[in-house]
């Protein structure tokens, strides 16, 4: 009898471990694209960012889609990006990694070379977010295919290409 109870307890522990692992996986998170293209935003604050050609990461709000397109004029002052939400049956915080890959290396004003911009952030599921790139100077303006990728806990959930013309 003690062996049977011991086996049942052990089985419950294994089932419980498997269930808790599924709660932390990305299998219940869906990327929902709300908009993409040329946009405007309100800049809330600027943060230092060493792994960016400009050295600055802007925190923004109020994503406003001006034109739904993946063809972006390669000119100073242009901003483009993606608005989205991470849909999940439960509200939780997840770590996201955002990657913007350039068609060819970008040389910053201080002479440093960048092939991409990559950063981590924490987002809540079931809330609107956006990621944009602004061509605020001449040096990051590189014509060709720019790739935007979003990863959640290391798994790629989304990719969109923009062509700068």
């Amino acid at each position: 009898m003690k062996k049977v109870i011991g086996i049942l307890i052990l089985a419950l522990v294994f089932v419980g471990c498997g269930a808790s692992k599924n709660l932390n996986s990305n299998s219940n998170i869906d990327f929902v694209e709300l908009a993409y293209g040329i946009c405007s935003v309100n800049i809330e604050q600027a943060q230092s960012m060493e792994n960016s050609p400009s050295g600055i990461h802007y925190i923004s709000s109020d994503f406003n889609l001006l034109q739904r397109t993946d063809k972006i004029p390669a000119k100073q002052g242009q901003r483009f990006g993606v608005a989205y939400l991470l849909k999940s049956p439960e509200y939780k915080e997840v770590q996201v990694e955002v990657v913007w890959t350039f068609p060819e290396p970008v040389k910053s004003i201080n002479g440093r070379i960048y092939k991409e911009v990559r950063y981590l952030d924490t987002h809540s599921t079931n809330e609107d977010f956006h990621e944009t790139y602004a061509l605020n100077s001449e040096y990051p303006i590189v014509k060709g295919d720019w790739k935007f990728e979003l990863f959640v806990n290391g798994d790629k959930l989304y990719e969109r290409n923009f062509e700068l013309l």
Side-chain angles (χ1 to χ4, degrees), residues 43-125:
I43 302 299
E44 301 292 328
Q45 72 180 82
Q47 296 177 338
S48 176
M49 180 184 235
E50 287 185 28
N51 62 337
S52 166
S54 68
I56 300 171
H57 177 71
Y58 293 100
I59 307 300
S60 59
S61 63
D62 302 324
F63 181 93
N64 180 31
L65 183 66
L66 302 175
Q67 182 182 355
R68 182 181 177 108
T69 183
D70 58 1
K71 310 280 189 235
I72 309 299
K75 64 180 185 179
Q76 191 170 344
Q78 192 68 263
R79 180 179 293 274
F80 58 98
V82 177
Y84 62 93
L85 67 86
L86 300 173
K87 187 176 179 181
S88 174
E90 57 187 307
Y91 288 85
K92 60 184 177 181
E93 289 192 345
V94 294
Q95 184 179 59
V96 300
E97 181 175 26
V98 174
V99 181
W100 288 94
T101 304
F102 310 124
E104 62 184 61
V106 170
K107 188 174 183 179
S108 71
I109 201 161
N110 64 7
R112 192 166 168 203
I113 304 293
Y114 297 87
K115 294 180 180 178
E116 65 183 17
V117 172
R118 179 181 294 261
Y119 58 92
L120 297 173
D121 204 352
T122 302
H123 289 345
S124 298
T125 57

